C-alpha cells in the first residue's frame, strides 16, 4: 500500500488481491492514520486491485463509518470492473462517491 497526502486529504493506493490476508496487512495502519489525522477526504484507490472479497468489502465499509463519524468523506477511486461489480451488488455506490484519475500509479 502506498499513502499519498495532499491539501484535500489522503489517498491509500491498494494493490493485488484485496482479501483477508491483504486487509490484515493494511487495516490497522489505515485505521490509526485516519484516527490521528482526520482528513477531510479519504480516497481508497483500487486501480491496481485485481480481486476483492467480503473482507475487503468490510474494510471499505468500516473506513466509511470511521470517516463519516467525524464528518469526512470517503471516495473510491479508479475502481476496476471486477471490483465495481462487487461494489454495485453490495450497494456501496449508494453511500460512497466514485472518482477516476488520469494519473498513472506506479
Amino acid at each position: 500500500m502506498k499513502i499519498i497526502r495532499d491539501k484535500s486529504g489522503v489517498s491509500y493506493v491498494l494493490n493485488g488481491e484485496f482479501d483477508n490476508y491483504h486487509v490484515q496487512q493494511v487495516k490497522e495502519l489505515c485505521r490509526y492514520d485516519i484516527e490521528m489525522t482526520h482528513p477531510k477526504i479519504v480516497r481508497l484507490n483500487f486501480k491496481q486491485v485485481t480481486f476483492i472479497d467480503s473482507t475487503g468489502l468490510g474494510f471499505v465499509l468500516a473506513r466509511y463509518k470511521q470517516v463519516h463519524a467525524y464528518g469526512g468523506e470517503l471516495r473510491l477511486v479508479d475502481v476496476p470492473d471486477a471490483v465495481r461489480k462487487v461494489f454495485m451488488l453490495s450497494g456501496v455506490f449508494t453511500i460512497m462517491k466514485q472518482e477516476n484519475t488520469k494519473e498513472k500509479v506506479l
Side-chain angles (χ1 to χ4, degrees):
M1 177 179 71
K2 182 177 178 182
I3 300 174
I4 302 170
R5 297 186 193 287
D6 61 24
K7 292 183 284 187
S8 66
V10 63
S11 296
Y12 301 103
V13 182
L14 308 167
N15 58 34
E17 295 185 359
F18 205 58
D19 56 10
N20 185 50
Y21 175 76
H22 192 92
V23 168
Q24 294 307 317
Q25 292 180 324
V26 301
K27 178 173 67 174
E28 285 306 310
L29 176 62
C30 289
R31 186 195 60 74
Y32 180 78
D33 187 55
I34 292 168
E35 186 178 309
M36 292 293 108
T37 61
H38 285 186
K40 181 178 179 183
I41 298 174
V42 173
R43 292 178 180 88
L44 299 178
N45 189 310
F46 287 88
K47 184 174 187 140
Q48 298 175 350
V49 173
T50 57
F51 170 82
I52 189 169
D53 68 4
S54 61
T55 309
L57 183 59
F59 169 86
V60 171
L61 293 171
R63 297 299 66 79
Y64 171 80
K65 184 177 177 182
Q66 180 185 14
V67 171
H68 192 258
Y70 66 80
E73 181 180 346
L74 182 72
R75 296 182 187 176
L76 306 174
V77 180
D78 294 336
V79 180
D81 289 340
V83 176
R84 179 176 280 109
K85 287 179 185 179
V86 173
F87 287 160
M88 287 175 59
L89 290 171
S90 67
V92 164
F93 291 138
T94 61
I95 60 172
M96 293 177 223
K97 291 183 181 179
Q98 286 186 79
E99 63 181 53
N100 293 308
T101 64
K102 295 183 191 234
E103 299 174 11
K104 293 192 179 198
V105 177
L106 302 176

